[in-house]
């Protein structure tokens, strides 16, 4: 039991009764691009393009608010079910974003990671992932993490496969598998737990995002379509977060009555 308590990742980042603090790690399910376009009589792809502008504004806002990590859901393992033209456009937009923004972000000291399943990704996207990682690996000002071809269940399955291989090879004993070992085998292994998860568009679901890392996140579902999201919305979300009372299964120290 003690290994569970001592390796619970949330303990490293937040504690009971730390209201008033800004989140270190904000994750966003950027949803509603299609509806934004539809409302204007435009093709869905126009919504995705506008969504990239919202991402730029959000990166700047989080950096200014001294948040350490922003993780965004850009393409899910389930989004392959969309029409090929839309999938192609989403891939093209990722490439364009990196081409246009990577140098500027690098100069600003931003570390950029793209993570998710590598299965089915074309060579140019694999190259892009490497380029972002290698160019910005030493940057410390802020972290932008792009979940691309990401699925929370697939991430856990792959971690289990890697751990099973380590056990089979004799590098790991089954008894030594704990939360920290699981964390180390995730695609998102070097990201802290998510403090605040925001989903735009009004949908009330997680859609297979960061299942492991959101165990104790504060959740916020906003009735804003992603292309309309901006600095003020992020500032408001952070203010609301600061007033949330996080307990992590414990009791606030001020409410403990000694008998
Ligand atoms: C989010 O917007 C972007 C991706 C999922 C890639 P959607 O494209 O899901 O927009 P809606 O939900 O259809 O409005
Ligand atoms: C989640 O949005 C995925 C991304 C934002 C990349 P979806 O629009 O794909 O989720 P569902 O289908 O509404 O659950
Ligand atoms: Mg959607």
């Amino acid at each position: 039991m003690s290994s569970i308590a001592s390796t619970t990742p949330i303990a490293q980042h937040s504690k009971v009764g730390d209201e008033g603090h800004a989140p270190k790690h904000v994750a966003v399910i950027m949803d509603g691009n299609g509806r934004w376009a539809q409302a204007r009589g435009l093709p869905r792809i126009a919504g995705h393009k506008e969504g990239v502008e919202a991402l730029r504004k959000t990166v700047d806002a989080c950096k200014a608010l001294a948040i350490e990590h922003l993780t965004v859901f850009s393409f899910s393992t389930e989004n392959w079910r969309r029409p090929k033209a839309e999938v192609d456009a989403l891939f093209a937009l990722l490439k364009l974003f990196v081409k246009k923004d990577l140098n500027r972000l690098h100069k600003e000291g931003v570390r950029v990671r793209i993570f998710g399943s590598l299965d089915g990704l074309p060579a140019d996207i694999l190259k892009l992932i490497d380029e972002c990682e290698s160019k910005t690996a030493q940057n410390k000002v802020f972290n932008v993490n792009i979940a691309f071809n990401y699925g929370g269940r697939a991430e856990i399955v792959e971690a289990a496969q890697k751990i099973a291989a380590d056990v089979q090879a004799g590098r790991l004993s089954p008894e030594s598998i704990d939360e920290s070992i699981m964390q180390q085998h995730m695609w998102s292994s070097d990201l802290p737990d998510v403090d605040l998860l925001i989903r735009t568009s009004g949908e009330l679901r997680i859609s297979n995002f960061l299942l492991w890392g959101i165990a104790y996140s504060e959740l916020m579902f906003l009735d804003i379509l992603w292309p309309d999201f901006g600095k003020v919305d992020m500032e408001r979300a952070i203010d609301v977060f600061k007033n949330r009372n996080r307990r992590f299964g414990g009791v606030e120290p001020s409410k403990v009555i000694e008998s």
Side-chain angles (χ1 to χ4, degrees), residues 166-234:
D166 282 349
V167 170
Q168 197 174 36
R171 290 188 291 267
L172 199 64
S173 70
E175 306 75 51
S176 64
I177 300 168
D178 59 10
E179 293 187 14
S180 141
I181 297 279
M182 280 297 292
Q183 170 79 23
Q184 284 163 34
H185 289 81
M186 296 282 174
W187 297 323
S188 53
S189 60
D190 52 354
L191 305 188
D193 271 9
V194 177
D195 296 304
L196 170 61
L197 173 68
I198 298 172
R199 181 174 189 143
T200 58
S201 93
E203 305 294 356
L204 305 179
R205 54 179 173 263
I206 301 297
S207 300
N208 202 15
F209 194 35
L210 299 176
L211 300 179
W212 176 265
I214 62 167
Y216 259 108
S217 302
E218 292 299 316
L219 307 180
M220 245 175 244
F221 297 97
L222 305 178
D223 272 323
I224 303 169
L225 299 174
W226 175 248
D228 292 327
F229 188 89
K231 181 170 180 267
V232 174
D233 304 297
M234 184 54 84

Side-chain angles (χ1 to χ4, degrees), residues 16-257:
V16 179
D18 76 353
E19 305 89 69
H21 293 277
K24 284 184 182 163
H25 186 178
V26 176
V28 183
I29 302 174
M30 310 185 288
D31 196 22
N33 294 351
R35 278 163 278 176
W36 183 93
Q38 202 177 9
R40 286 160 182 77
L42 298 169
R44 291 177 58 84
I45 291 165
H48 295 315
K49 277 192 192 142
E50 201 58 30
V52 177
E53 294 306 321
L55 173 60
R56 291 195 173 103
K57 287 183 222 156
T58 303
V59 168
D60 290 347
C62 287
K63 199 146 85 55
L65 288 161
I67 290 160
E68 290 174 21
H69 284 268
L70 170 69
T71 301
V72 293
F73 205 1
S74 166
F75 187 82
S76 78
T77 43
E78 290 73 37
N79 287 149
W80 289 102
R81 294 175 187 154
R82 296 188 179 204
K84 185 172 182 304
E86 185 170 343
V87 171
D88 288 349
L90 289 165
F91 277 61
L93 280 173
L94 176 75
K95 283 189 257 176
L96 199 63
F97 176 74
V98 172
K99 194 167 163 225
K100 273 194 170 174
D101 290 58
L102 187 64
N103 278 336
R104 178 179 57 83
L105 292 170
H106 178 51
K107 279 190 200 126
E108 291 173 7
V110 179
R111 183 167 180 186
V112 181
R113 294 173 179 88
I114 302 175
F115 69 102
S117 170
L118 301 179
D119 280 355
L121 292 184
D124 56 351
I125 296 279
L126 295 175
K127 200 166 148 238
L128 213 69
I129 294 173
D130 278 348
E131 190 191 338
C132 289
E133 305 270 357
S134 55
K135 188 172 184 134
T136 68
Q138 303 307 319
N139 293 348
K140 303 253 179 302
V141 173
F142 180 57
N143 295 277
V144 175
N145 315 306
I146 302 174
F148 193 84
N149 199 22
Y150 177 86
R153 285 188 169 185
E155 180 177 37
I156 293 169
V157 166
E158 217 175 283
Q161 286 172 345
K162 286 186 217 152
I163 290 171
D166 282 349
V167 170
Q168 197 174 36
R171 290 188 291 267
L172 199 64
S173 70
E175 306 75 51
S176 64
I177 300 168
D178 59 10
E179 293 187 14
S180 141
I181 297 279
M182 280 297 292
Q183 170 79 23
Q184 284 163 34
H185 289 81
M186 296 282 174
W187 297 323
S188 53
S189 60
D190 52 354
L191 305 188
D193 271 9
V194 177
D195 296 304
L196 170 61
L197 173 68
I198 298 172
R199 181 174 189 143
T200 58
S201 93
E203 305 294 356
L204 305 179
R205 54 179 173 263
I206 301 297
S207 300
N208 202 15
F209 194 35
L210 299 176
L211 300 179
W212 176 265
I214 62 167
Y216 259 108
S217 302
E218 292 299 316
L219 307 180
M220 245 175 244
F221 297 97
L222 305 178
D223 272 323
I224 303 169
L225 299 174
W226 175 248
D228 292 327
F229 188 89
K231 181 170 180 267
V232 174
D233 304 297
M234 184 54 84
E235 287 169 352
R236 272 197 206 122
I238 302 304
D239 281 343
V240 171
F241 173 88
K242 286 179 180 170
N243 288 305
R244 295 269 181 101
N245 183 241
R246 303 181 82 192
R247 289 191 288 279
F248 304 106
V251 183
E252 280 176 84
S254 62
K255 302 229 165 88
V256 177
I257 302 164

